[in-house]
Amino acid sequence: MRKGILPFPLALAADRDRLLAAFLVGGAAFLLLELRFEHREVLGETWRSWIPLVYCGATLVAGAFALRRWSTWGRSALGALFALGIAVGILGFWFHTDGHLLGGIRDLLAAWRVPLGQDGGIKMGSRPPALAPLAFCGLGTLGLMVCAGKRLSTQE
């Protein structure tokens, strides 16, 4: 029996996209846990901090249903959820930098000039991490790649 890239038989390799999508939905669970901790203070201060939590929760619930209906409407529904994740990531990047995207990146790059063991005048925790929301862009992009469409199988 021929094997695919992973040690799965070809029969399972045909369902590889669904398996990858399930792992990506699981990644939303880890993001949900981490975000609940990291946003613990700001959840009571602003509605914006709820956006990634609601997205992750919705992705887990809707993703579970979509995975069960993968071969009918599930693949498309998950693709839409993952596309929304990219939007959530970009919006979070905007919020984390207060709309100054280039300034946020500049500050991150400037940290490379700060001597080790010093804070460079910026106290830890005084600002949200500028690039952290882009994790949603990575998750969403991978999800879109998996859900984009059925691969053409090659016969040997």
Side-chain angles (χ1 to χ4, degrees), residues 15-29 55-87 136-149:
D15 210 25
R16 181 177 33 225
D17 287 349
R18 184 177 176 184
L19 180 64
L20 290 171
F23 276 111
L24 291 169
V25 169
Y55 169 76
C56 286
T59 299
L60 287 172
V61 173
F65 287 111
L67 286 167
R68 294 184 57 80
R69 300 288 185 239
W70 179 258
S71 58
T72 56
W73 53 266
R75 181 188 286 261
S76 299
L78 268 176
L81 276 171
F82 288 129
L84 182 59
I86 294 171
F136 286 97
C137 293
L139 185 78
T141 301
L142 289 172
L144 278 176
M145 290 169 61
V146 168
C147 296

Side-chain angles (χ1 to χ4, degrees), residues 19-95:
L19 180 64
L20 290 171
F23 276 111
L24 291 169
V25 169
F30 287 111
L31 278 173
L32 178 64
L33 293 172
E34 180 68 20
L35 282 164
R36 177 56 183 94
F37 176 77
E38 294 297 335
H39 283 195
R40 65 192 177 279
E41 292 180 39
V42 295
L43 285 173
E45 298 172 6
T46 178
W47 61 270
R48 301 180 313 192
S49 61
W50 285 94
I51 295 171
L53 290 167
V54 170
Y55 169 76
C56 286
T59 299
L60 287 172
V61 173
F65 287 111
L67 286 167
R68 294 184 57 80
R69 300 288 185 239
W70 179 258
S71 58
T72 56
W73 53 266
R75 181 188 286 261
S76 299
L78 268 176
L81 276 171
F82 288 129
L84 182 59
I86 294 171
V88 167
I90 292 169
L91 191 60
F93 182 40
W94 178 268
F95 288 145

Side-chain angles (χ1 to χ4, degrees), residues 110-133:
W112 289 93
R113 294 187 311 221
V114 176
L116 298 177
Q118 296 183 13
D119 63 12
I122 299 173
K123 298 294 178 199
M124 287 294 294
S126 64
R127 296 189 219 170
L131 299 181

